Amino acid sequence: MENIITVDNVSKAFTNHVALDDVSLEVPRGKVYGLLGPNGAGKTTLIRIINHITAPDKGRVIFDGHDLTAADIVNIGYLPEERGLYKKMKVGDQALFFARLKGLSKQQAEKSLREWFDKLEISSWWNKKVEELSKGMAQKVQFIVTVLHNPRLLIFDEPFSGFDPINANVLKREILALRDAGATVIFSTHNMASVEELCDNITLINKSHNILTGNVAELRRRFSDNRYELGYEGDEKALVSAITPLVKVIEPIPADRDGISRVRFSLNAPDDSRTVLATANANALIRTFNPLLPSMDEIFIRTVEESNHQTTTPPAI
Amino acid sequence: MKSALGIIISREYLERVKRKSFIITTILMPLLMLAMMVAPALIMALSGPEEQTIAVIDDSGVVAPRLQNEGDITFIPVNTPLTDLKADDNYQAILVIGKDVISEPDGNISLYTHGSPSMVTEQFISGQLSDVIEDQRIRAYEIDNLRQILDEVNVDVQLQTYRLDKEEETATSSILSYLLGTFMMLILYMFIMLYGQMVMTSIIEEKNNRVLELVVSSVKPTDLMMGKILGIGAVAVTQILIWAVLLIGCSIWIMPLLSTSVAQSGTADPAMIQAVAQLADPSFMGQLLIFMVLFLIGGYLFYSSIYAAIGSAVDNIQDASQLTSLAIVPIILALIISMSVVQDPNSALAMWTSYIPFTSPMVMMARVPFGIPVWQSIVSLVILYVSFVGMIWLAAKIYRVGIFMYGKKPTVAELIRWTRYK
């Protein structure tokens, strides 16, 4: 089975608004999948449907080759964006409670909890009450109870919020380690830098529609719009005037300390990089030639704004 | 491996039972109730007539010689004018008796005291005066043996009530039933109110600190709600059973003493003897306890479902106040109806409200001590438990939508709309 989750034409409406309108997506096994979108786009509703908390009005969700049922919950670990713990309970008792809800026996749960507590260096908290913990500390406990039962599918909604950079990195490392061990990760965040860093594929949801799906590297190439950056040694004027008929120059960048100047441009005709390179080669010493990839931030903003302008039909992908 | 529901129930139960506040209230409440019962008697006993010397100015001339000193109270007839006596510290009080006291006692007797007199002293004095005046009046008729005749005419009727529907003709005491009915109904009212609201506040708290989001990622929302209701219900049952055991323990120790003292005293009226006998009857009390627990559980489950639905729909306690009237109004209504039911346990009102689940737990609690037919209790229980199933089904539908709704105070109409969501 190629995909661990297939969302098939799912719709969900509440009293005053449509949360999801005919959304489909496929999450490939063993990858990190980004679920992106502005606030209120319908991400949380979609995650709750995948997690069997709410039922869709229309459409279906296929988990590991069969229709999603309540029994699949033990194979999913979900860390919601808005999360809390029982304040009056001790950390260890509470972690045990959540672990046992996921179907672990008391002994199993205690054993793997101790391992995880050691790994994240929080063993000394076991007998503390939750109300004594800081937000970041509580988040670590929540992370552990989400992953403890070794689920095949992990869903993280803004997992890094509330963490300092050091702990965020620890968490990132653990998430990737879980992926390497075979788990699939669905990752919902507004932090586009971490999307570029972690995600293999993404889906962008806006106003209850899926407006963009694809592989992160491919998408960035596609959204590069034939933009390139050329690094060279030589005369800026000569080079720029030589390539101007073939490209639209975005900006020339003066030479840096190593004497390498840069110029950014977009090709007038796609796949014309050869001619451009040949022309440039005749006028300067070429050092580098790279496609200019847009950040996920740019892609996010551009796609959402475009879709907001033409809200009638989502663009075909 | 335990089911998710079982794990939720045990967490809800243990977290509460282990709390200091639970242990303290469970122990303190019976003590407080005992204190409330014993206190008036204790106060009376302690504030018995203190040593008093009372000066008597008797203008009628017939009353003073007949007043009898008793205990610490001494009457001393004097001829000093009142104004002089008022300044005399040797007397704690001055009793002034008018000339026409026999024919016209009202307004002809005054008592002057330093400080306010105790009720016991006042009662003692007025009791003595009544006896003297009554005696004087009887003599005035100049009929031989009038006192004896009057005593023979006087009658105090005590009904000996027997139940014909029981195999054995047992004597029952309706005053005892009245007291027991009121007591059990109040206990039930207190428990349903207290524990029902506990379910609500606990759901609001979970929703508020978002621990709920984490829990429902592992268990079905319905299971979480059921677990909470059952777990807290188990706490209520634990508390009532602890109290029942304490009560039974006390009765085993006290009842024989009470029975013998009542039997020996001889003067006790038959109703009292009957009541004590009934209280000492284990089958009667056992039946009461069983029905009480059954109606308590049924009533709690029914009402806590309503409270759970309300709790899920709001963000904080303040917003809940409007919706809680959905639960509180019927409970109060049931309480008021029960108050009248203990006066007339077989009225049409009592019959009807015994079968309506909103009122039945308390109304039945008020009626059961009167020994109503068992089938009525069973029918009422069946209706109550079936209604609970319907109510919790409805509550679950509201709950699983409500717990994810933030920021808006929903109306009843919206709650009803939520039940139609898929």
Side-chain angles (χ1 to χ4, degrees):
Chain A
M1 209 62 54
E2 177 79 355
N3 300 319
I4 188 153
I5 280 276
T6 306
V7 174
D8 201 2
N9 301 97
V10 161
S11 298
K12 176 83 186 176
F14 294 108
T15 316
N16 294 319
H17 79 287
V18 178
L20 293 171
D21 186 9
D22 205 21
V23 168
S24 298
L25 56 88
E26 291 173 345
V27 180
R29 187 187 301 278
K31 306 276 188 192
V32 179
Y33 196 95
L35 193 58
L36 319 178
N39 297 321
K43 284 174 305 198
T44 305
T45 305
L46 180 59
I47 290 177
R48 282 186 186 142
I49 288 173
I50 292 174
N51 213 27
H52 208 265
I53 295 170
T54 33
D57 295 339
K58 275 211 305 266
R60 52 186 213 147
V61 177
I62 295 156
F63 180 83
D64 229 356
H66 59 266
D67 277 311
L68 180 76
T69 67
D72 295 316
I73 292 300
V74 291
N75 293 314
I76 302 177
Y78 170 36
L79 185 67
E81 178 180 7
E82 301 273 9
R83 46 193 182 256
L85 294 170
Y86 290 107
K87 288 204 184 91
K88 303 271 173 210
M89 258 181 124
K90 283 184 183 160
V91 174
D93 287 349
Q94 181 141 219
L96 272 175
F97 166 70
F98 280 109
R100 293 176 63 206
L101 280 185
K102 286 290 189 186
L104 296 185
S105 75
K106 209 170 175 180
Q107 292 79 357
Q108 258 179 313
E110 180 141 9
K111 187 169 161 284
S112 33
L113 274 174
R114 295 280 184 194
E115 282 169 21
W116 270 103
F117 272 53
D118 281 344
K119 203 192 280 189
L120 296 188
E121 294 165 354
I122 58 171
S123 297
S124 58
W125 303 352
W126 189 271
N127 277 319
K128 274 193 182 172
K129 276 195 180 168
V130 170
E131 52 192 354
E132 298 169 46
L133 303 188
S134 73
K135 191 183 173 203
M137 292 158 107
Q139 303 265 68
K140 272 193 180 175
V141 179
Q142 290 156 352
F143 176 81
I144 291 176
V145 301
T146 307
V147 302
L148 188 78
H149 58 297
N150 286 320
R152 276 181 272 168
L153 176 64
L154 285 160
I155 305 174
F156 295 113
D157 199 345
E158 293 293 356
F160 306 124
S161 71
F163 278 111
D164 61 63
I166 295 171
N167 278 314
N169 250 336
V170 171
L171 217 66
K172 227 174 265 178
R173 206 180 58 218
E174 293 303 334
I175 291 176
L176 290 177
L178 287 163
R179 180 203 60 187
D180 294 342
T184 309
V185 177
I186 293 179
F187 180 43
S188 175
T189 183
H190 288 131
N191 182 345
M192 292 303 141
S194 58
V195 172
E196 281 165 29
E197 195 183 338
L198 295 174
C199 294
D200 302 296
N201 301 289
I202 60 122
T203 276
L204 180 53
I205 291 178
N206 185 38
K207 293 190 172 166
S208 52
H209 291 98
N210 176 350
I211 58 168
L212 185 68
T213 284
N215 179 281
V216 172
E218 270 170 36
L219 283 175
R220 290 181 71 190
R221 231 171 292 141
R222 170 137 59 93
F223 277 79
S224 76
D225 290 331
N226 287 314
R227 287 185 299 171
Y228 291 89
E229 187 185 83
L230 181 75
Y232 62 93
E233 284 175 53
D235 181 36
E236 183 190 295
K237 249 187 196 154
L239 181 84
V240 169
S241 59
I243 59 170
T244 297
L246 300 166
V247 303
K248 208 164 93 207
V249 174
I250 300 166
E251 54 172 345
I253 300 164
D256 60 13
R257 255 182 286 164
D258 299 331
I260 297 172
S261 312
R262 288 184 171 79
V263 60
R264 289 178 176 171
F265 53 80
S266 57
L267 300 180
N268 285 347
D271 309 322
D272 203 15
S273 49
R274 265 192 172 177
T275 335
V276 175
L277 270 177
T279 315
N281 201 23
N283 289 282
L285 179 58
I286 296 176
R287 288 295 189 184
T288 58
F289 182 67
N290 290 314
L292 205 58
L293 295 181
S295 66
M296 283 311 293
D297 239 357
E298 290 172 66
I299 296 176
F300 182 99
I301 293 167
R302 221 173 102 188
T303 318
V304 168
E305 278 177 353
E306 270 169 25
S307 104
N308 284 349
H309 284 143
Q310 36 148 341
T311 37
T312 39
T313 46
I317 300 144
Chain B
M1 194 184 97
K2 236 173 165 181
S3 74
L5 184 65
I7 297 166
I8 302 262
I9 293 175
S10 71
R11 195 201 80 85
E12 295 289 342
Y13 180 76
L14 292 175
E15 278 300 303
R16 284 187 173 74
V17 172
K18 281 193 293 191
R19 256 182 230 170
K20 281 193 202 81
S21 59
F22 174 81
I23 298 167
I24 290 170
T25 44
T26 306
I27 296 169
L28 234 51
M29 270 298 275
L31 288 180
L32 212 70
M33 277 180 156
L34 202 68
M36 261 160 60
M37 283 189 289
V38 172
L42 216 61
I43 289 166
M44 287 289 269
L46 287 176
S47 62
E50 58 266 55
E51 205 170 301
Q52 298 225 35
T53 314
I54 300 171
V56 184
I57 304 175
D58 185 8
D59 290 342
S60 70
V62 284
V63 179
R66 293 171 187 275
L67 288 174
Q68 283 164 359
N69 299 338
E70 199 180 297
D72 297 325
I73 297 182
T74 320
F75 295 105
I76 299 181
V78 292
N79 288 318
T80 334
L82 179 63
T83 39
D84 295 355
L85 281 173
K86 277 181 182 170
D88 194 338
D89 279 347
N90 289 327
Y91 303 110
Q92 277 76 39
I94 309 149
L95 182 64
V96 180
I97 296 164
K99 205 157 59 117
D100 304 321
V101 70
I102 304 298
S103 55
E104 190 69 43
D106 290 344
N108 266 324
I109 304 170
S110 337
L111 183 71
Y112 299 87
T113 60
H114 300 288
S116 80
S118 77
M119 218 162 77
V120 187
T121 314
E122 254 181 60
Q123 270 171 1
F124 175 74
I125 295 172
S126 63
Q128 286 242 343
L129 288 172
S130 302
D131 284 351
V132 172
I133 294 167
E134 209 178 279
D135 207 42
Q136 285 296 325
R137 284 182 179 180
I138 288 171
R139 279 162 198 265
Y141 285 100
E142 292 184 340
I143 301 170
D144 289 342
N145 302 330
L146 181 57
R147 161 64 72 188
Q148 199 187 336
I149 295 166
L150 281 176
D151 283 350
E152 277 168 20
V153 171
N154 204 346
V155 63
D156 182 15
V157 177
Q158 295 285 349
L159 284 183
Q160 225 15 18
T161 331
Y162 292 96
R163 289 281 305 282
L164 292 173
D165 52 342
K166 295 276 169 77
E167 284 177 23
E168 221 180 316
E169 284 194 355
T170 44
T172 61
S173 153
S174 57
I175 180 72
L176 178 75
S177 304
Y178 176 86
L179 290 176
L180 277 176
T182 311
F183 174 72
M184 287 166 60
M185 163 194 98
L186 285 175
I187 290 266
L188 214 72
Y189 167 78
M190 194 182 84
F191 265 79
I192 291 178
M193 207 69 160
L194 223 65
Y195 281 91
Q197 285 188 343
M198 199 184 281
V199 169
M200 182 180 77
T201 45
S202 150
I203 288 174
I204 294 176
E205 208 182 292
E206 268 181 10
K207 189 178 166 181
N208 226 328
N209 73 13
R210 314 277 173 149
V211 66
L212 195 129
E213 304 254 350
L214 213 56
V215 182
V216 293
S217 71
S218 313
V219 295
K220 280 186 284 181
T222 322
D223 278 356
L224 177 59
M225 186 184 86
M226 278 303 291
K228 187 166 286 291
I229 290 177
L230 294 178
I232 294 178
V235 178
V237 172
T238 306
Q239 193 161 50
I240 206 104
L241 287 181
I242 291 175
W243 289 351
V245 167
L246 286 178
L247 202 66
I248 291 167
C250 283
S251 349
I252 288 173
W253 178 58
I254 286 175
M255 285 320 285
L257 293 177
L258 198 60
S259 317
T260 41
S261 80
V262 166
Q264 278 171 358
S265 66
T267 52
D269 60 84
M272 179 77 174
I273 295 171
Q274 233 174 53
V276 170
Q278 206 168 351
L279 266 179
D281 176 7
S283 80
F284 172 74
M285 294 308 281
Q287 194 190 356
L288 277 193
L289 184 67
I290 289 169
F291 275 123
M292 176 158 179
V293 170
L294 286 177
F295 276 108
L296 177 80
I297 294 173
Y300 160 79
L301 289 175
F302 182 77
Y303 271 107
S304 62
S305 314
I306 302 176
Y307 274 119
I310 295 169
S312 74
V314 298
D315 294 358
N316 53 57
I317 278 285
Q318 286 81 16
D319 287 354
S321 58
Q322 216 172 0
L323 285 173
T324 42
S325 57
L326 285 180
I328 292 175
V329 168
I331 296 181
I332 304 267
L333 205 67
L335 184 73
I336 294 167
I337 293 171
S338 310
M339 299 276 192
S340 84
V341 164
V342 283
Q343 319 253 7
D344 187 1
N346 290 312
S347 66
L349 177 74
M351 290 296 193
W352 281 108
T353 49
S354 294
Y355 302 124
I356 299 170
F358 284 97
T359 51
S360 66
M362 271 176 274
V363 170
M364 285 306 283
M365 234 44 262
R367 292 181 68 206
V368 164
F370 289 94
I372 54 160
V374 173
W375 69 263
Q376 284 192 11
S377 303
I378 290 171
V379 170
S380 174
L381 276 172
V382 169
I383 294 176
L384 181 62
Y385 280 83
V386 169
S387 315
F388 151 66
V389 173
M391 190 52 87
I392 196 132
W393 176 81
L394 205 66
K397 294 209 143 217
I398 294 172
Y399 180 86
R400 64 201 177 101
V401 179
I403 49 174
F404 297 121
M405 296 286 177
Y406 288 97
K408 198 169 70 155
K409 213 160 79 173
T411 61
V412 177
E414 269 169 299
L415 295 193
I416 294 166
R417 206 174 311 132
W418 290 354
T419 61
R420 293 196 217 113
Y421 281 161
K422 199 172 164 186

